[in-house]
Every structure is written in C-alpha cells, then in structure tokens.
Amino acid sequence: MYKISSTAKDREIEVLADKSPTWLAELRRDAWQRAETLEAPSRKDEYWRYTDLDLLNPESFQRLEHGGSTAPLKRLPQRASSALELSGTGSGGKIIHADGALFSAGLSEEAAAKGVIFTDLETAVTEHEELIRPRLGKLVGAADIFTARNLALHRGGAFLYVPPGVELSAPMQSLHWLGMQGTLIQPRTVVVVGRGAKVVFNDIYTSAPLARASLVNPVTELYAAEDSQVGWVTWQDWGEGVRHLSTVKATMAANARLNTMLVTLGGEFSRTWKECELAGEGAQSVMLGLYFAHRKQHFEHWTVQDHLAPHTRSDLLYKGALDDQARTVYYGTIKVRPDANNTDAYQANRNLALSGSARANTNPQLEIENNDVRCSHGATVGRVDEEHLYYLMSRGIGRADARKLLIFGFFNEVLGRAQWSGMHELLSESILRKLAAEK
Amino acid sequence: MSKPILVLENLHAAVEGTEILRGVNLELPPGEVHALMGPNGSGKSTLANVLMGHPAYEVTAGRILFKGEDVTELEADRRSRLGMFLAFQYPVEVPGVSMLNFLRQSLNARRDQDLKPREFRTLVDGKLKLLGMDKAFARRNLNEGFSGGEKKRNEVLQLALLEPELAILDETDSGLDIDALRIVSESVNSMRGPGIGFLVITHYMRILDYLEPDVVHIMLGGRIVKSGGPELAGELEAKGYDSVRKQYGEPAPQEEATAP
C-alpha cells in the first residue's frame, strides 16, 4: 500500500530540504529515507488493529508545495475565534495557521518583555537554532511511517520557549484552521518550558466542514524542565470530513508538573497518541481526556504514562460519550520502569454509550517492572441510567433535557478537574450542537 | 366535599410480569393527609412509583385520576408538571449534575416559565433556611455523596420548592434521627393547606405522631384492606401487622417476620 510516484515524493522532500538550514535538511532527508524503508502499518499490528488505514494514505491527498493556501484567508472564522476563548479571555500570544501556512503570529508585551519566544517553526529553525536543534525530532522521531513523514515533510507549527523562572498568566495559543479539501498538512510544534517556569498552552484544531477529506498529521514535542508547571489543552473540533492523526510526546524533568486536557469532538477520523515520560524524580502528570463521537465518527485515543524515575505520579482520566454508529477506542499503557520506585499511577477510561449501535473499545495495559508501586486502572462502558432519567423526569424535566443533564453530568467529573474557564461554555455549545443533530 | 385530588380505581400493576398491585382503590380529597401503612412487601413503594410513572412498572388494569384527569399513561415529567410529587424512599445519586442546575430546570418546568437567576436563588435560599439546611447544600451535585438523612432532606427541599398539589412521601421518615424527623415533619405540616393532599407511606407509627393523618389505610398483598381514622394507626401499633394478616388471610412472607 501507499505507493507513491518517485518523482513527486523526491520533489517534495527536495523543495523542503532546500528551504531548510543544513542541519534540518539533513534531518529531513534522513527521516525521508527512514520513511521509505519502514514497512507500512497493517491491521495485524496491535497498534493499528482498529484503524482503517486506507483513510490515512498520504497519497490520497494533495500536498501543498509551498505550504500555502490557494485562497488565503482574510479573516479568522467565528468557529476559530471562539475556540481561542477556551481558556477564558486574554492571550499571551497567538500563532495561527490556515491550511498549513502561517496566517498570523503575535506575542503579548508581557511575554515578550519576559524573554518568551513564540514563533512559527520556520522562523525558529533559523533564528533559534541553539534552542530548537537539540530538541526537534528528539522526542518524536521517525518511529513509524507517519511520524517519519512528519519529520521529513513537516510544514507549519509553532515553537514556544519560556525562559527559566518566567511565569505567564495568559495562555499561549496555537491554532490550526483548515479550509482546503483533499489536502495534507503536517505541522510540528516544539515547546520548551524552562526550569521553574509556568505556562498554559492551547493547541487548537478547527475548521469548517469539508466535502472531500483532508488529512492532518501533527506532531508535538514538549520539554518540561525541573520544577516547571505546564497546563496543556488540546482542542480538536474539526469540521466534518477531516482526518486527524496526531502524536504528542512530553518529557518531564524532576518535580515538573504537567496538567493536560485533551478534547476530541470533530472530524470523521481522529487518532491521538499522547505519551508522557516522567523522567525526573518527583514529576507529576495529570492527563484528562474528553470526547464525544456521533454519526460515523471514529475516535482512537492512545496514551502512555511512562514512569522512569522514582517518586513520580501520573493520574489519567478519559471520559467519552458515543452516539449513533460512532466507534471509539481507548488504549492506554502504564509503564513503570525498574528505577521508578515509589510510583503512583492511575488510569481510568469511562464511556457512555448513547445508542445501541455505537461501539466503544477500551483497553488498559500495565507494564510494571518495579514492585514499589501503587497502580490502578479501570475501564467501563455504560449507558444512561434509567433510574437517573426517571428521577430527573419525576421533577418535571422532559426526557431530552434530562438526558442532556446526565450527559453533561458524566463529563463534569473531567471538566471539574480542568481549570479552564471558557471550556465549559465552548464544550456545551459543541455537545448541544451534536445532540441537536440527532435524528 | 371538594373534588378528590387523587382517585385510584381498581389499580393493578406488575413489574417484569409479576403482579404486585392487585386492585387498589383510594380517594384523597385536597387538604387531607392520608397515611398508607403496611408491612414490607405489601406493595407500598410499588404504589408510589406507579403513581409517579416509573417506566419499569406496568399498569395492567384500573386507572389513576389526578384532579379528575386520567394520568395512567403519562410519563413522569408530565405528571410532575401537572402537580404530582414523589419524595423517594431511596433517592438516587446523580453524579456530576449540580443541584442548582437541576432545581432550576425542574422549577422552570413545573412553573412553565423561566425564573430570573436572582429570584431563583432567593427562593432556594429561603427554602433551605426553612429546612435548617446550609446554603452550601445547593452547591453540591445531586445527592452525590449525601448521607441518608441529607438525601431525605433534599427530597423535602424539592417538595417545598415545587409546591405540588399531591405529595407522596415514601418512607421519608426512615433513616432520619428524631431531630431531622421533627424538622421534616414541621416543614410538611407548614405546607399543609386546602391546595395540597398528602399520601404518607410509612412502615412506622413514629412520623404519624407529628403529621396527624386524617385517614389511615392499611395495605396488604397489593390491596388496601382497611381504612379508618387516626385511631387505626394506634391499633396497628398495639396489635402489629399480624393481627391484620390474620383478619385478612394474607400469608406472611418469610422476610417480613424479622422486620423491625
């Protein structure tokens, strides 16, 4: 599968390599070679057994030679600007891409004065080589054909650097908008948070509905230094027709705190790989996830909580609702390495099936190589409780409204733990929109 | 006498094919408090849930008239909006649903108008105070992590807020200590009036000392076998349910023999 005409592929990698600084050109070419030699994934592979790989064939999509849009966006659409409110009002900086090309970039005076760097990746690789070169491609390299292709052919994406000790109150925001049909975009984002620094990052993906599918294959690498505190919200609310295949990997040094919240709502296919490496003693990670799939949406959430150092703690809760003929997969692994004494690792995945024909798979895995751990994992797939429904209805609330209350109640356990003020409203709107689409 | 608020005519109901109510007849005029007593398993809670429209119970014969309207086939939300209320014996915990959101939606449904936020808060705070409940109560999730007593009080709070015309209290007294029982009874007494009828289901006589029912019904084997004045409760207390059973020939199921 995935046959590519050699002229087209060579031309693309060469165009990109030519535009890159030497070190990156080399990285790109190596990754391309690797991508060439890697075997295409198949459903026999445990990691791809739920995925319709035909949906992800890069050759079905037209690549953008210059990373540009054919009809440049003039103004940010409403759906995108409202998504920027998910952390409440205020922004420390915004990098906005439309169809893979930079649309706008801005940094608040406060952040600039504190030495924060927030640019598009193309600018960063030439202007901040010393910061980015040791890190780009180091956390997410060329492990599989998709990440290898991203490393070779990435265009767009953001670079954030927060110097040691700097605390930012307003979130730094990266938004990807998509208006083009049948295209492929592969942004790469690198975030470096210095020792003792504090920041919230919003990673937002949204678009209008597309009649012909586009594929988005983003990669994100996050470095959280000692004692840093990072809040991380990923908001995926693509319009219909978008296929999303994302890889995020974070590495945390000693006593770093990472609070992440992943929201998946949109697209026809969405697969996220989110890996958190607790590499330094005392690192603590909270990983929250929330998804709502309807119609024929197919969502996969893959997570890894990788404990390498002693006294580390990770706590994961993913909750999702699924309606109509939707399909969701959760596959989560807790790894406790031999050196990770005194580890706390928790993982829970809860699913609420709203229709008889929706299907949820949930697959928690443990790989424990140390005896000194406290570890728990649990997974459930349930339905709306008829007794709950009856109780609410006995107080005059109509069936449809009672059901909504219960669905929001289900999500509130996650939302209550995520301290982002604008998210409730934004999420309510999206969920209500989905429920309203019901037959 | 004014038109009854509730009339049950030969009401039969089954759950999963097993008939539990076998012909209940009852008339409850507005302004009256009726006590419904009977041993465990006699069908009291089933009757309460059938009256409220629990989807698992099927009415197999007879009908329920509320203010003269046949509500037998209505869903629970319609019954509530018409003015029926059930204080549950075991209120369910509804995780993640905030009390305030829930109370606001049910009040708006009952009144068929959207209350202004300030009006709503004043109303809720007033009722909380009346029931000796802390304001923080309303900021919690619906029954989530509530103690048994808190759940019962929450039922009475909802009763006070929704101002129904028929209130069915299903063993609201069980699980309450004497102080809580007094507060609950006092607030129920304060709601009494010509516009509301009460059907108080209880296993014990205790709550009846506070509520002073106009009529006492005794239920056995899915039927009301005896009705009378408040003296019937006293008689029952003196002689126990066994004497009623002897009189009406209903065999005592095993689990009832040990009921307190």
Side-chain angles (χ1 to χ4, degrees):
Chain A
M1 67 185 307
Y2 297 169
K3 281 189 210 93
I4 311 158
S5 73
S6 57
T7 50
K9 75 188 178 193
D10 289 341
R11 203 175 67 211
E12 186 174 21
I13 180 68
E14 284 316 317
V15 166
L16 283 164
D18 283 351
K19 290 201 295 184
S20 303
T22 322
W23 65 270
L24 183 57
E26 207 174 303
L27 197 61
R28 285 188 186 275
R29 289 199 183 95
D30 287 351
W32 183 251
Q33 277 194 342
R34 175 108 175 103
E36 293 277 76
T37 54
L38 277 168
E39 240 176 85
S42 100
R43 285 193 102 137
K44 286 179 199 139
D45 183 346
E46 177 75 0
Y47 292 114
W48 297 101
R49 54 188 273 216
Y50 305 99
T51 311
D52 179 358
L53 287 154
D54 288 340
L55 296 176
L56 305 177
N57 187 342
E59 301 319 308
S60 314
F61 307 91
Q62 158 202 345
R63 261 98 24 106
L64 298 166
E65 286 299 322
H66 306 290
S69 156
T70 48
L73 204 62
K74 291 197 179 65
R75 213 164 48 84
L76 200 59
Q78 169 66 32
R79 183 159 169 164
S81 49
S82 63
L84 285 165
E85 307 273 299
L86 69 84
S87 292
T89 49
S91 171
K94 287 189 190 92
I95 303 233
I96 296 168
H97 286 84
D99 298 325
L102 185 65
F103 172 74
S104 71
L107 185 63
S108 74
E109 278 179 30
E110 184 208 357
K114 286 176 171 170
V116 172
I117 299 166
F118 193 38
T119 70
D120 61 295
L121 200 79
E122 277 74 22
T123 305
V125 294
T126 52
E127 292 182 10
H128 304 287
E129 184 186 332
E130 74 292 354
L131 289 170
I132 200 168
R133 189 174 168 180
R135 296 184 173 102
L136 195 156
K138 294 297 185 292
L139 273 181
V140 183
D144 64 45
I145 195 163
F146 300 106
T147 50
R149 278 166 175 271
N150 178 292
L151 190 54
L153 304 174
H154 64 86
R155 269 197 198 108
F159 174 65
L160 171 65
Y161 172 71
V162 186
V166 166
E167 296 194 5
L168 294 171
S169 47
M172 309 303 288
Q173 303 178 298
S174 167
L175 183 144
H176 291 273
W177 173 261
L178 196 53
M180 278 191 81
Q181 303 179 20
T183 192
L184 165 65
I185 60 171
Q186 313 196 77
R188 183 170 281 249
T189 293
V190 178
V191 173
V192 182
V193 183
R195 188 178 192 143
K198 190 176 172 185
V199 67
V200 173
F201 188 80
N202 296 167
D203 198 14
I204 301 163
Y205 303 88
T206 187
S207 76
L210 302 182
R212 195 154 67 82
S214 285
L215 174 64
V216 186
N217 176 28
V219 167
T220 306
E221 299 172 276
L222 165 66
Y223 296 83
E226 286 153 40
D227 301 311
S228 62
Q229 292 180 53
V230 184
W232 190 283
V233 187
T234 306
W235 180 264
Q236 193 275 75
D237 192 21
W238 289 123
E240 282 165 45
V242 180
R243 299 170 192 168
H244 184 75
L245 176 67
S246 103
T247 308
V248 179
K249 186 167 175 185
T251 186
M252 302 171 66
N255 298 314
R257 300 273 181 283
L258 174 62
N259 281 294
T260 67
M261 171 87 180
L262 174 71
V263 178
T264 303
L265 299 167
E268 61 177 32
F269 172 92
S270 182
R271 176 183 159 118
T272 61
W273 177 281
K274 193 163 172 188
E275 184 168 351
C276 183
E277 190 181 82
L278 297 104
E281 194 165 341
Q284 292 190 18
S285 159
V286 175
M287 297 164 79
L288 301 175
L290 195 158
Y291 48 93
F292 188 174
H294 76 159
R295 292 181 174 158
K296 290 187 170 169
Q297 286 181 311
H298 177 112
F299 292 170
E300 296 181 24
H301 292 97
W302 295 72
T303 64
V304 180
Q305 297 151 265
D306 193 358
H307 293 257
L308 287 97
H311 303 285
T312 47
R313 181 187 164 88
S314 68
D315 187 359
L316 179 145
L317 175 64
Y318 271 49
K319 291 186 93 165
L322 52 160
D323 206 349
D324 309 324
Q325 291 87 48
R327 171 88 194 266
T328 64
V329 174
Y330 173 78
Y331 198 111
T333 308
I334 293 176
K335 293 182 183 175
V336 180
R337 308 293 181 136
D339 291 340
N341 297 322
N342 212 335
T343 289
D344 288 299
Y346 306 102
Q347 182 198 75
N349 172 235
R350 314 262 173 241
N351 297 282
L352 181 64
L354 300 171
S355 94
S357 36
R359 256 198 315 155
N361 279 81
T362 177
N363 214 332
Q365 304 281 326
L366 294 176
E367 296 174 18
I368 311 287
E369 300 172 83
N370 185 305
N371 292 324
D372 184 18
V373 294
R374 278 163 304 281
C375 205
S376 77
H377 63 166
T380 53
V381 182
R383 305 195 160 278
V384 170
D385 190 313
E386 287 296 325
E387 290 295 323
H388 292 173
L389 207 52
Y390 168 54
Y391 187 81
L392 299 182
M393 288 177 72
S394 80
R395 300 307 186 234
I397 302 171
R399 182 176 291 275
D401 286 333
R403 196 159 166 266
K404 273 181 211 165
L405 264 176
L406 293 174
I407 294 167
F408 281 105
F410 172 76
F411 284 134
N412 271 341
E413 187 189 354
V414 175
L415 280 173
R417 290 177 62 186
Q419 303 300 316
W420 290 290
S421 52
M423 192 183 282
H424 285 68
E425 209 178 319
L426 208 53
L427 201 63
S428 302
E429 281 169 24
S430 298
I431 291 172
L432 290 176
R433 201 166 60 218
K434 286 197 155 188
L435 289 171
E438 279 180 16
K439 277 110 330 228
Chain B
M1 203 174 79
S2 51
K3 209 172 77 176
I5 197 94
L6 178 71
V7 177
L8 305 183
E9 291 177 357
N10 186 33
L11 190 63
H12 289 250
V15 61
E16 286 168 1
T18 307
E19 188 170 63
I20 297 176
L21 300 184
R22 297 170 188 167
V24 178
N25 292 289
L26 185 138
E27 271 198 20
L28 202 164
E32 289 195 5
V33 174
H34 287 204
L36 180 70
M37 306 188 66
N40 290 332
S42 58
K44 303 189 301 294
S45 280
T46 297
L47 178 61
N49 279 303
V50 167
L51 289 180
M52 203 63 231
H54 192 299
Y57 296 89
E58 189 198 350
V59 173
T60 48
R63 54 182 198 155
I64 304 162
L65 301 174
F66 175 69
K67 294 190 290 182
E69 184 181 341
D70 186 343
V71 298
T72 317
E73 298 298 324
L74 295 187
E75 287 214 82
D77 59 321
R78 290 282 306 282
R79 298 187 198 202
S80 167
R81 292 200 291 274
L82 286 173
M84 298 173 76
F85 181 92
L86 168 61
F88 286 90
Q89 183 179 5
Y90 302 110
V92 288
E93 301 197 14
V94 190
V97 174
S98 83
M99 280 280 291
L100 281 178
N101 201 359
F102 161 69
L103 292 176
R104 192 175 44 76
Q105 288 203 28
S106 54
L107 252 180
N108 287 345
R110 169 79 175 108
R111 296 186 171 208
D112 199 20
Q113 65 170 56
D114 283 358
L115 276 170
K116 291 195 179 72
R118 183 186 294 254
E119 267 178 285
F120 169 67
R121 272 321 293 252
T122 311
L123 197 62
V124 171
D125 288 349
K127 299 296 183 191
L128 283 168
K129 202 174 168 194
L130 192 75
L131 289 162
M133 290 155 81
D134 196 273
K135 276 187 184 180
F137 205 82
R139 284 198 294 272
R140 295 165 71 178
N141 284 336
L142 183 50
N143 293 328
E144 198 179 7
F146 283 25
S147 70
E150 285 174 330
K151 285 180 186 165
K152 294 299 178 77
R153 283 193 197 202
N154 193 17
E155 296 296 291
V156 179
L157 171 72
Q158 294 167 47
L159 166 60
L161 276 168
L162 294 177
E163 298 179 329
E165 289 167 75
L166 171 68
I168 305 149
L169 309 185
D170 188 5
E171 305 213 11
T172 301
D173 51 337
S174 65
L176 290 181
D177 62 28
I178 280 291
D179 287 338
L181 181 64
R182 206 189 58 242
I183 294 170
V184 163
S185 308
E186 279 168 5
S187 56
V188 168
N189 276 329
S190 74
M191 287 177 233
R192 284 176 80 153
I196 182 169
F198 285 89
L199 183 64
V200 181
I201 297 171
T202 183
H203 185 79
Y204 309 105
M205 325 295 148
R206 211 171 54 152
I207 193 170
L208 302 181
D209 292 341
Y210 294 96
L211 292 185
E212 298 173 8
D214 300 295
V215 178
V216 174
H217 305 280
I218 296 173
M219 195 164 186
L220 208 59
R223 281 188 202 96
I224 288 173
V225 294
K226 195 173 184 183
S227 300
E231 71 286 348
L232 194 56
E235 205 178 300
L236 207 56
E237 181 159 44
K239 297 184 188 165
Y241 287 114
D242 282 348
S243 73
V244 187
R245 278 196 195 98
K246 266 182 212 130
Q247 196 179 340
Y248 295 94
E250 181 70 20
Q254 283 306 305
E255 71 267 32
E256 287 174 17
T258 54

